[in-house]
């Protein structure tokens, strides 16, 4: 079945959300609508619709004009078996001692690695993105420095690849959380596939707001691979929930945003231990003041 996309950009969250709502009344009806902030500091928002038949160009032009958006760009996507495509294109990733792979590469796992299985259909968080890769490298570096995590949490865990990596090398229970119910289901599937059920426990929560997380705090290591805004908002809770001398590994930060995030965390009682840039993304390793 062919898929058509209609994409535009405009300024302001309210205007973007209003445009997204207005697109729900289009005929033919879109099968999905997305509204996203363009994270380049421009203040622009992207609004897109997905269709199984060609969208009405006149209606889209009227909507974009009414809300001062750029004219929609309409494209037809080729018919693709995306899971098969990902399996062909998604090569395994080596990050320090960690080897992140899909089941189609199970025979290629090197013997000297810590393997982490993430199915190709759940590709976000496989280690190919600079943020996940940076966090895995930071974990490997922290362990090599002599640190051993005894009480670890992964906040905004996605696929739970970071929680599973910590559980692989330290054999201690690890808590993971995500605000999205689907992400929690994905995480639990990966935890089961990696035979880490019971060692990694994933709950649905915003930040540390869950009885299991509150009871386990303070942590000696917390991962948070999310975005700049949530990371900044999370800084006071990080200071409360990380023990003195404990560590935070943060990512989801564009390179130009890193100094601002560091400043907020320094003000919250953290020191910068290491920063690494991978393409457009920065990963920070911080320690909480004793």
């Amino acid at each position: 079945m062919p898929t058509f996309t209609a994409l535009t950009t405009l300024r302001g969250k309210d205007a973007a959300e209003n445009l997204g709502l207005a697109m729900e009344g289009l005929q033919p009806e879109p099968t999905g609508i997305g509204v996203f902030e363009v994270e380049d500091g421009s203040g622009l928002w992207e609004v897109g619709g997905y269709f199984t038949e060609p969208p009405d160009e006149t209606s889209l032009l009227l909507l974009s004009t009414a809300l001062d958006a750029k004219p929609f760009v309409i494209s037809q996507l080729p018919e693709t078996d995306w899971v098969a495509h990902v399996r062909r294109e998604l090569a395994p990733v080596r990050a320090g001692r960690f080897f992140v792979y899909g089941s189609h590469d199970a025979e290629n796992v090197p013997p000297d690695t810590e393997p982490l299985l993430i199915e190709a259909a759940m590709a976000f968080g496989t280690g190919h993105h600079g943020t996940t890769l940076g966090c895995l490298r930071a974990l490997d570096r922290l362990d090599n420095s002599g640190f051993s995590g005894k009480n670890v949490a992964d906040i905004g865990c996605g696929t739970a690849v970071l929680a599973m990596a910590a559980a692989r090398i330290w054999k201690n229970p690890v808590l993971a959380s995500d605000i999205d119910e689907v992400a929690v289901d994905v995480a639990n599937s990966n935890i089961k596939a990696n035979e880490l059920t019971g060692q990694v426990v994933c709950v649905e929560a915003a930040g540390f707001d869950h009885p299991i997380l509150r009871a386990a705090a303070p942590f000696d290591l917390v991962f948070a691979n999310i975005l700049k805004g949530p990371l900044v908002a999370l800084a006071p809770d990080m200071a409360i929930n990380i023990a003195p001398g404990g560590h935070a590994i943060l990512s989801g930060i564009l390179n130009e945003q890193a100094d601002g995030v560091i400043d907020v965390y320094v003000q919250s009682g953290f020191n910068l231990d290491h920063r690494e840039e991978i393409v457009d993304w920065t990963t920070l390793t911080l320690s909480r003041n004793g």
Side-chain angles (χ1 to χ4, degrees):
M1 179 183 297
T3 300
F4 298 85
T5 63
L7 301 173
T8 186
T9 56
L10 70 167
R11 292 195 172 275
K13 178 181 179 181
D14 290 344
E17 290 180 342
N18 288 336
L19 179 54
L21 287 172
M23 289 178 68
E24 294 179 2
L26 289 171
Q27 292 297 328
E29 184 179 354
T31 58
I33 299 168
V35 179
F36 305 99
E37 185 176 10
V38 180
E39 293 185 358
D40 60 359
S42 66
L44 291 175
W45 287 69
E46 182 179 81
V47 179
Y50 296 84
F51 303 80
T52 56
E53 54 186 298
D56 185 333
E57 295 186 34
T58 301
S59 297
L60 287 171
L61 180 60
L62 289 172
L63 286 179
S64 63
T65 301
L67 286 161
D68 199 23
K70 289 186 176 181
F72 280 89
V73 176
I74 300 172
S75 304
Q76 180 176 353
L77 302 179
E79 295 187 42
T80 304
D81 181 343
W82 286 107
V83 172
H85 174 77
V86 168
R87 285 179 171 167
R88 287 194 301 271
E89 302 295 331
L90 202 58
V93 170
R94 184 79 178 254
R97 77 194 69 187
F98 302 106
F99 186 82
V100 187
Y101 70 102
S103 58
H104 56 291
D105 277 310
E107 296 180 357
N108 300 319
V109 177
D112 60 338
T113 62
E114 294 288 351
L116 297 166
L117 170 63
I118 305 291
E119 284 299 344
M122 303 168 182
F124 183 78
T126 58
H128 291 77
H129 197 275
T131 60
T132 309
L133 178 59
C135 289
L136 289 170
R137 288 182 180 177
L139 173 60
D140 187 61
R141 190 164 45 245
L142 200 57
D143 181 74
N144 287 334
S145 74
F147 174 82
S148 179
K150 297 179 175 59
N151 191 19
V152 179
D154 182 4
I155 304 299
C157 65
T159 61
V161 64
L162 302 177
M164 294 190 300
R168 275 271 190 262
I169 61 174
W170 291 323
K171 313 304 180 187
N172 297 314
V174 177
L175 295 179
S177 72
D178 201 285
I179 196 170
D180 183 75
E181 181 181 359
V182 174
V184 173
D185 290 341
V186 168
N188 283 324
S189 295
N190 287 324
I191 291 164
K192 182 178 180 180
N194 284 272
E195 300 182 352
L196 289 168
T197 301
Q199 190 176 347
V200 179
V201 175
C202 186
V203 298
E204 185 179 344
F208 295 93
D209 188 17
H210 193 282
I212 291 177
L213 290 165
R214 288 194 292 268
F219 299 96
D220 52 13
L221 172 63
V222 173
F223 298 100
N225 180 14
I226 39 182
L227 293 170
K228 177 195 171 183
L231 284 175
V232 168
L234 201 58
D237 281 346
M238 284 283 203
I240 293 169
N241 287 281
I242 295 179
H247 298 274
I249 294 176
L250 312 180
S251 199
I253 308 163
L254 291 167
N255 294 336
E256 60 268 25
Q257 298 172 337
D259 287 340
V261 175
I262 292 168
D263 289 345
V264 169
Y265 274 78
V266 168
Q267 292 171 21
S268 295
F270 289 85
N271 296 313
L272 176 65
D273 297 331
H274 191 274
R275 65 189 290 173
E276 180 180 16
E277 293 184 3
I278 301 177
V279 191
D280 296 325
W281 300 92
T282 293
T283 299
L284 304 174
T285 304
L286 306 109
S287 56
R288 193 185 153 210
N289 292 333

